[in-house]
Amino acid sequence: MMNGAENSATLSVSSESPRLSVLSERIPAVRGVGKSCLLLRFSDGSFTTSFITTIGIDFKIRTIELDGKRIKLQIWDTAGQERFRTITTDIRNWIRNIEQHASDNVNKILVGNKADMDESKRAVPTSKGQALADEYGIQFFETSAKTNLNVEQVFFSIARDIKQRLAETDNRAEKNGDCNFFAWLEDMHQDANDLENKWRN
C-alpha cells in the first residue's frame, strides 16, 4: 500500500456453500499508509485519525452480496514495515515473495491510499502507481479511507476476481475427474466462524 500508497491484497480461500462463501484477503503495506483505516472504512463504515498502529496482525470480517451470492470476507491487516528504502522497492519485494511462496495464480491488486491528499504531497504520484501496476499486470486503484473514495470498489473487485479464479479452478478439476475443491472447503466455513469467535472472545 502506498501513501498515495501501495496495497497488495491477496485472497486465498473460498467456499461455494449454498449458505455462504468465504474469501480471505491479506493486506501487506509499509507503515503509516492507512491500511488499517482503509480496512476500518470498508468493514465498519467509519474513519478515525487516531488509529493505533497495528502490532503483528489483525483482521476484520464483512459479509457482502456479490453476483447474487453472500460472500464472507476475512481481511487480514499485517503490521507495516518499520523500515523501508522506497515504497516501490517494497512493492517489488512483496511481488517477488508472492511469486516465490504463493500459488501461481494468486490474485493481486495495487492500491494508492490517501487520494484525498494534494498530488504534490503524495509519496507516490498516480502515474508512478499506475506504471508499477502495469509492469506487473495488476489492477491499480486510488482510494481514500477518509472520504470513502473507491473503498468498496477495491474490495469488491479483488473478491470478484478471486471468486472467478476459484470457480474456474473447480471447473477444471471436475473436468479432469479430480476431487471437487469446493467440497472440502465447506468445512472451512465452520472453521472461519470458530476462528472469528475465538479471536473476538
Side-chain angles (χ1 to χ4, degrees), residues 11-29:
L11 286 79
S12 55
V13 179
S14 173
S15 170
E16 284 292 320
S17 159
R19 300 173 311 205
L20 186 68
S21 296
V22 178
L23 296 176
S24 179
E25 303 181 20
R26 179 173 175 259
I27 307 177

Side-chain angles (χ1 to χ4, degrees), residues 113-133:
N113 193 31
K114 302 188 181 181
D116 54 285
M117 292 176 64
D118 185 272
E119 181 89 15
S120 65
K121 295 180 180 178
R122 294 187 193 181
V124 178
T126 301
S127 59
K128 191 171 182 179
Q130 184 63 62
L132 189 59

Side-chain angles (χ1 to χ4, degrees), residues 66-85:
L66 183 66
D67 302 329
K69 292 191 182 248
R70 288 181 61 226
I71 306 286
K72 185 176 191 176
L73 298 178
Q74 297 175 342
I75 307 151
W76 297 85
D77 180 5
T78 58
Q81 301 286 323
E82 290 301 319
R83 292 173 241 221
F84 54 94
R85 290 176 294 241

Side-chain angles (χ1 to χ4, degrees), residues 43-44 59-63 72-75 192 196 200:
S43 64
D44 299 342
F59 78 95
K60 296 279 188 188
I61 293 178
R62 178 174 161 191
T63 301
K72 185 176 191 176
L73 298 178
Q74 297 175 342
I75 307 151
E196 178 183 0
R200 301 265 182 230

Side-chain angles (χ1 to χ4, degrees), residues 2 12 27 34 36 53 56 74 87 96 99 101 103 176 188:
M2 316 181 279
S12 55
I27 307 177
S36 296
T53 301
Q74 297 175 342
I87 290 173
R96 192 176 310 112
E99 290 169 349
H101 303 291
S103 63
N176 294 332
M188 296 286 292

Side-chain angles (χ1 to χ4, degrees), residues 162-181:
I162 291 167
K163 181 177 173 285
Q164 180 179 341
R165 172 179 53 87
L166 293 173
E168 289 170 0
T169 300
D170 190 43
N171 287 339
R172 282 194 299 273
E174 285 180 8
K175 287 179 184 176
N176 294 332
D178 297 337
C179 67
N180 186 329
F181 176 74

